[in-house]
Amino acid sequence: MNVIEAIEERRSIKHYDPDHSMPESDLAELIRLTKLAPSSFNMQNYRLLVIRDPELRGEIRAAAWDQAQVTDASVLFLMCADLTAHAEDPGLYWGHAPQEVQEILGPMLKPFYDGNNQLIRDEAVRSSALAGMTLMLAAKGLGYDSCPMIGFDGAKVAELVNLPSDTIISFMIPVGKLSKPAWDRGARLSDEKVVIYDKF
Amino acid sequence: MNVIEAIEERRSIKHYDPDHSMPESDLAELIRLTKLAPSSFNMQNYRLLVIRDPELRGEIRAAAWDQAQVTDASVLFLMCADLTAHAEDPGLYWGHAPQEVQEILGPMLKPFYDGNNQLIRDEAVRSSALAGMTLMLAAKGLGYDSCPMIGFDGAKVAELVNLPSDTIISFMIPVGKLSKPAWDRGARLSDEKVVIYDKF
């Protein structure tokens, strides 16, 4: 599927075939593509929780206003992020780079974030969203639909998945086979409202 | 371009042809596609600042560690978000929906966010990142390259663009014609580090 078509045809789908099971090869491809999303300093601070266990899915659905897509989609992705990724050895992220690049970027990473909790949190949300959007468009290319969701009790879901204290949940994305198309696409705001030229 | 190829071939490009000027039709198409990104409650809280003025670009470059892509790319997008979008009349976002949907969703919007400053901020960052990732892949499909950036003095750039007090800057995205390919792609962390199954 053409990338422009994928953007045009991606919709937030609520109704999925509950009997469809995603082949492992599709899941692996979806994960591979998601990991190609960019991240600040290449630190890949997103974490992908792949939830397939039916009992857990039922518990999460109960914590998500009983929305059917939580259990009916083939896979539920919980898009998380590690708030301590900037404190790791930069060699983990830059080991592939030329020595001179490593020497410039390596020492910048920790000081750039350290002590700036708002920036750390923003980066966690931003990175998981860049990965999540990549995942949703990759899913479209692989013949799946998806639905970004924030309508759930975050504290309850954190408890259900044993979320570590240094990790946040950003949003969830059910991915599966559509059983009923979306409504008409939500109307878009005018460019006058959303697009600004040069300065506010 | 196929969506999977677009994901695979998108790289964070630092070197652009400074003489290329983006045709208005390409800019309009890029904006149209970016606006198809999903947002919570369809509130489209992202704001796209399209910066082309050369003098302003130079000033922003000076506030961005003198990174050449800030001035050399054809267009500089500053991905912003409106922190008050949830307080607007929900009819602005849901006017297209069936009456019963409007009656359910309309009254939910403001109470969902009101008073929860962390959630409001997260949503601003998340929404602008979903839009930004869409923009970068759309750019690829239209024959352009891009580079998500947070390496700049946010307070200084806010001043330069007259950022309103209820709006945040999330990140910037130069978009233009590549003049020099990227280094090898940054190594990806192993699935063991990034992917978790069912529970942490």
Side-chain angles (χ1 to χ4, degrees):
Chain A
M1 178 180 269
N2 181 284
V3 60
I4 291 171
E5 283 175 344
I7 292 169
E8 289 173 334
E9 294 180 19
R10 184 216 56 79
R11 298 295 311 283
S12 295
I13 294 298
K14 305 290 202 298
H15 301 279
Y16 293 91
D17 172 4
D19 297 324
H20 180 268
S21 159
M22 187 185 289
E24 291 294 328
S25 57
D26 282 359
L27 178 61
E29 180 67 348
L30 205 44
I31 290 170
R32 180 184 75 83
L33 292 165
T34 299
K35 288 172 66 181
L36 297 181
S39 62
S40 174
F41 287 92
N42 193 38
M43 69 177 165
Q44 304 163 66
N45 49 329
Y46 52 78
R47 296 292 176 264
L48 310 174
L49 192 61
V50 175
I51 307 181
R52 293 181 293 186
D53 177 61
E55 192 182 339
L56 179 57
R57 295 274 288 274
E59 292 168 326
I60 295 173
R61 175 170 168 168
W65 306 338
D66 196 34
Q67 294 177 85
Q69 67 267 32
V70 175
T71 53
D72 291 353
S74 310
V75 174
L76 178 67
F77 290 90
L78 199 61
M79 304 302 296
C80 301
D82 180 350
L83 299 172
T84 65
H86 64 279
E88 298 245 26
D89 174 4
L92 191 61
Y93 311 133
W94 287 98
H96 65 284
Q99 190 62 33
E100 67 270 25
V101 174
Q102 293 202 40
E103 282 168 14
I104 296 169
L105 286 172
M108 285 170 65
L109 174 59
K110 194 162 184 286
F112 188 78
Y113 288 98
D114 235 11
N116 190 338
N117 288 338
Q118 182 65 72
L119 178 62
I120 292 169
R121 170 105 192 177
D122 285 355
E123 206 62 81
V125 175
R126 191 160 37 230
S127 190
S128 58
L130 294 172
M133 192 72 238
T134 303
L135 188 156
M136 292 188 279
L137 292 172
K140 200 74 202 164
L142 297 172
Y144 291 90
D145 281 286
S146 63
C147 182
M149 292 175 60
I150 56 155
F152 55 89
D153 177 341
K156 181 67 192 168
V157 173
E159 191 189 309
L160 289 169
V161 302
N162 300 332
L163 191 78
S165 61
D166 56 7
T167 303
I168 64 158
I169 299 173
S170 181
F171 60 123
M172 57 172 73
I173 310 178
V175 174
K177 290 289 183 183
L178 173 150
S179 68
K180 195 174 133 192
W183 302 322
D184 290 345
R185 190 190 284 274
R188 259 42 192 174
L189 297 173
S190 67
D191 281 1
E192 286 64 36
K193 179 87 178 164
V194 172
V195 184
I196 302 98
Y197 290 91
D198 291 319
K199 294 188 182 199
F200 283 90
Chain B
M1 177 180 269
N2 181 283
V3 60
I4 291 171
E5 283 174 345
I7 292 169
E8 288 174 335
E9 294 180 18
R10 183 216 57 78
R11 299 294 313 283
S12 294
I13 294 297
K14 305 289 201 300
H15 300 279
Y16 294 91
D17 173 3
D19 297 324
H20 180 268
S21 160
M22 187 185 289
E24 291 294 329
S25 56
D26 282 359
L27 177 61
E29 180 67 350
L30 205 44
I31 291 171
R32 179 184 77 81
L33 292 164
T34 300
K35 288 171 66 180
L36 297 181
S39 62
S40 173
F41 287 93
N42 193 37
M43 68 178 167
Q44 304 162 67
N45 48 329
Y46 51 78
R47 297 291 177 265
L48 311 174
L49 191 61
V50 175
I51 307 182
R52 293 181 292 186
D53 177 61
E55 191 183 340
L56 179 57
R57 296 274 288 274
E59 292 168 326
I60 295 173
R61 176 171 168 169
W65 306 338
D66 196 34
Q67 293 177 85
Q69 67 268 31
V70 175
T71 53
D72 291 353
S74 311
V75 175
L76 178 68
F77 289 90
L78 199 62
M79 303 303 295
C80 302
D82 180 351
L83 299 172
T84 65
H86 64 279
E88 298 244 28
D89 174 4
L92 190 62
Y93 311 132
W94 287 97
H96 66 284
Q99 190 61 33
E100 66 270 26
V101 174
Q102 292 202 40
E103 281 167 13
I104 296 169
L105 286 172
M108 286 171 65
L109 174 59
K110 194 162 183 288
F112 188 78
Y113 288 98
D114 236 11
N116 190 338
N117 288 339
Q118 183 65 71
L119 178 61
I120 292 170
R121 170 108 191 175
D122 285 355
E123 206 63 81
V125 174
R126 191 160 37 231
S127 190
S128 57
L130 294 173
M133 192 72 238
T134 303
L135 187 156
M136 292 188 279
L137 292 172
K140 199 74 200 163
L142 297 172
Y144 291 90
D145 280 287
S146 63
C147 181
M149 292 175 61
I150 56 155
F152 56 89
D153 177 341
K156 181 66 191 169
V157 173
E159 190 188 309
L160 289 169
V161 303
N162 300 331
L163 192 77
S165 61
D166 56 7
T167 302
I168 64 158
I169 298 173
S170 180
F171 61 122
M172 55 173 74
I173 311 179
V175 174
K177 290 290 181 182
L178 174 149
S179 68
K180 195 174 133 191
W183 303 321
D184 290 346
R185 190 189 285 274
R188 260 42 193 173
L189 296 173
S190 68
D191 281 2
E192 286 62 37
K193 179 88 179 163
V194 172
V195 184
I196 302 98
Y197 290 90
D198 290 320
K199 294 187 184 201
F200 284 89

